[in-house]
Amino acid sequence: MLILSASPHTHLFAAARVSSSSLSSSNISSISCSLGVRSTVWRCPRAVLCSSKARGMAEMVDSAVTVFASSSGSEKRAAEPGHSRTFLDVRTEEDLLSGIKKEAESGRLPSNVAQGMEELYQNYRNAVFQSGNPNADETFLSNMIVALDRIFKEVEDPFVFLPYHKAIREPFDYYMFGQNYIRPLIDFRSSYVGNISLFYEIEEKLQQGHNIVFVSNHQTEADPAVIALLLEATHPHIAEKMTYVAGDRVITDPLCKPFSMGRNLLCVYSKKHMYDIPELAEMKRKANTRSLKEMALLLRGGSQIIWIAPSGGRDRPDPITREWYPAPFDAASVDNMRRLTEHTGVPGHIYPLAVLCYDIMPPPPQVEKEIGERRLISFHGTGLSVAPEISFREIVAACGDPEESKMAYAKALYDSVTEQYNVLKCAIHGRKGLEASVASISLSQPWN
């Protein structure tokens, strides 16, 4: 969903010192982000809830809407003035599907968005029911009611993202909306966090005013929610404060936007899509320059957590072996982010972070140019691990040559992410659980 990526010839944050005169659109790396849906034909014999269930569902939806829309303890309805209550007023699955059909027939809902909403409904339903949760029907329906309401609102009144977007928490809490939507997809029984003690170290550094940069692999559009959910029990401050670099697709696709609105984002336009519409290229370059300035200002202020994935895109399986692994890092992107971090006048620390969650929402096998890629959704275990920060000075001392040092630093970060990823893979897919821990990577389940 959210990724900072770079092609081999891209120069991200190239200036050693960040100043207004040194910022240009060439400093922004390529971004590859998208959301799509894939239909899963699956029907439930209980498509219409009985009257007692309907009454319970009405109470659950009203409660969920109040939580999402609460502000400073006051209760506010999620339906803003002028916003349709088509989806908020439904109480059964039949009503939900009828609402999509009604809005599509009226012309208020574009046919492609309506189709995506129906596919999302079917696929999310299937995934939530995989969990075996006895309350899966209520959880699924209440989450989909709110999700489709927010998606429809984006069609009615599209939200425009600024270069630096702060998570919207009121009057509607988009952060909690995203958390509660993804939560039922995570099998916490087979999910793990590596080196939880390092997150305490990171939190201490943040309290001291230091900046933190996570150099990470990137797997799915759900990465931000997965990271936050796995840290929710022990480090909610890190989970909520983290800023992600976001591509233009997740801030333009109406099915993505409600989830993006709940995250802190630095919004950029992908270099690979810069000239899709030639007359917009200059606007995109200027927007990227503004985003870079915003990042520099954030880092100068200190106590920032930036998540980047300098890989050029999401991880994808080997076409022959079908094995998943972190996509290689671009050395120029890593080095330029490192230099930006070092020249903001605030102590900065770069940590390698590994994420494993592709089963929840795997990307398509190949990169697609069109917005609206189709996706699968599943209930599955996930993993997150962090390793000690890697000192560039130590790399320089060992290499000497600047270009060699740059390549060696990116490799050191990548190798650490890969090592952590393999331990998570052994724990989750190899079903070794906590026994997959090694000397340098200690797994735990902090929510237990």
Side-chain angles (χ1 to χ4, degrees):
M1 177 179 181
L2 309 168
I3 179 173
L4 175 64
S5 57
S7 66
H9 302 294
T10 298
H11 297 289
L12 169 68
F13 314 130
R17 281 184 230 154
V18 180
S19 64
S20 299
S21 61
S22 66
L23 298 171
S24 68
S25 61
S26 64
N27 296 127
I28 300 292
S29 67
S30 301
I31 303 296
S32 175
C33 308
S34 55
L35 170 130
V37 285
R38 180 167 181 171
S39 175
T40 300
V41 179
W42 192 87
R43 300 186 63 85
C44 175
R46 302 175 64 195
V48 181
L49 303 175
C50 64
S51 59
S52 62
K53 280 282 189 180
R55 285 194 298 272
M57 181 58 62
E59 295 173 357
M60 172 174 273
V61 172
D62 286 341
S63 175
V65 168
T66 298
V67 170
F68 293 140
S70 64
S71 172
S72 303
S74 63
E75 295 184 0
K76 297 183 181 180
R77 300 299 295 179
E80 292 81 355
H83 171 48
S84 168
R85 291 191 58 89
T86 295
F87 296 102
L88 286 179
D89 287 339
V90 306
R91 294 295 178 253
T92 68
E93 295 184 46
E94 185 178 65
D95 291 343
L96 196 68
L97 293 172
S98 295
I100 298 174
K101 182 178 180 181
K102 180 186 75 173
E103 294 299 346
E105 290 178 345
S106 72
R108 291 188 293 267
L109 190 62
S111 60
N112 63 322
V113 177
Q115 180 182 359
M117 291 167 76
E118 288 186 9
E119 292 174 339
L120 183 62
Y121 156 87
Q122 295 285 357
N123 212 359
Y124 185 72
R125 187 188 201 289
N126 187 27
V128 172
F129 272 79
Q130 288 175 8
S131 68
N133 186 330
N135 298 318
D137 52 355
E138 290 94 342
T139 299
F140 151 74
L141 188 53
S142 62
N143 282 351
M144 280 307 305
I145 286 172
V146 180
L148 296 186
D149 172 72
R150 293 293 96 183
I151 292 170
F152 187 45
K153 184 179 186 304
E154 279 310 301
V155 174
E156 291 181 310
D157 183 21
F159 179 80
V160 178
F161 287 82
L162 295 175
Y164 171 52
H165 169 78
K166 293 195 68 174
I168 298 175
R169 305 299 303 266
E170 55 182 40
F172 183 89
D173 193 337
Y174 281 93
Y175 176 84
M176 286 308 302
F177 157 66
Q179 295 298 94
N180 290 337
Y181 187 86
I182 299 299
R183 193 188 311 275
L185 304 179
I186 296 181
D187 183 355
F188 285 93
R189 297 164 299 181
S190 58
S191 295
Y192 306 91
V193 175
N195 297 333
I196 190 70
S197 62
L198 284 177
F199 286 106
Y200 288 98
E201 172 188 306
I202 288 167
E203 193 137 35
E204 288 181 6
K205 285 182 168 60
L206 289 169
Q207 291 172 357
Q208 295 166 6
H210 296 198
N211 290 320
I212 302 295
V213 174
F214 288 125
V215 173
S216 174
N217 67 311
H218 175 45
Q219 296 221 301
T220 77
E221 67 187 33
D223 285 3
V226 170
I227 292 170
L229 286 165
L230 295 183
L231 293 176
E232 191 175 52
T234 55
H235 297 86
H237 175 73
I238 292 178
E240 297 185 35
K241 188 174 176 61
M242 200 176 303
T243 298
Y244 301 83
V245 178
D248 56 293
R249 296 190 171 200
V250 299
I251 61 173
T252 54
D253 189 324
L255 274 76
C256 294
K257 289 175 68 176
F259 300 95
S260 300
M261 290 162 69
R263 306 290 160 181
N264 301 314
L265 307 177
L266 284 160
C267 307
V268 300
Y269 286 92
S270 168
K271 184 178 180 180
K272 66 177 69 174
H273 297 294
M274 186 67 67
Y275 295 97
D276 287 352
I277 304 177
E279 55 268 31
L280 297 181
E282 183 60 23
M283 178 276 293
K284 292 179 179 181
R285 282 194 293 268
K286 290 180 179 178
N288 283 353
T289 298
R290 289 195 298 271
S291 296
L292 179 56
K293 291 179 179 179
E294 291 288 351
M295 178 180 280
L297 288 172
L298 283 176
L299 291 173
R300 286 173 185 166
S303 296
Q304 297 298 317
I305 317 172
I306 306 294
W307 182 92
I308 68 171
S311 58
R314 286 169 290 181
D315 302 337
R316 283 179 166 81
D318 183 280
I320 298 176
T321 66
R322 307 307 301 165
E323 288 291 320
W324 288 76
Y325 53 87
F329 292 169
D330 174 64
S333 180
V334 171
D335 186 64
N336 292 325
M337 185 69 220
R338 187 266 309 170
R339 287 193 288 160
L340 179 64
T341 304
E342 289 182 354
H343 291 83
T344 54
V346 175
H349 311 271
I350 298 179
Y351 290 82
L353 187 80
V355 180
L356 194 161
C357 62
Y358 66 82
D359 295 280
I360 288 181
M361 294 181 183
Q366 292 84 31
V367 176
E368 297 181 358
K369 292 190 64 175
E370 296 298 321
I371 290 177
E373 68 184 46
R374 312 186 84 180
R375 74 165 183 251
L376 293 170
I377 305 176
S378 298
F379 172 75
H380 206 279
T382 61
L384 175 71
S385 180
V386 66
E389 65 175 305
I390 297 177
S391 170
F392 181 70
R393 289 186 176 86
E394 293 179 4
I395 299 293
V396 171
C399 298
D401 178 75
E403 191 64 28
E404 182 184 354
S405 298
K406 181 170 65 176
M407 298 294 291
Y409 188 59
K411 183 178 185 302
L413 288 165
Y414 176 78
D415 287 348
S416 176
V417 169
T418 300
E419 179 187 15
Q420 296 176 79
Y421 183 87
N422 288 335
V423 170
L424 293 172
K425 183 178 178 181
C426 182
I428 300 168
H429 291 276
R431 301 187 178 181
K432 293 292 185 63
L434 299 175
E435 295 181 359
S437 299
V438 297
S440 60
I441 304 164
S442 176
L443 299 180
S444 64
Q445 295 180 310
W447 44 87
N448 288 336

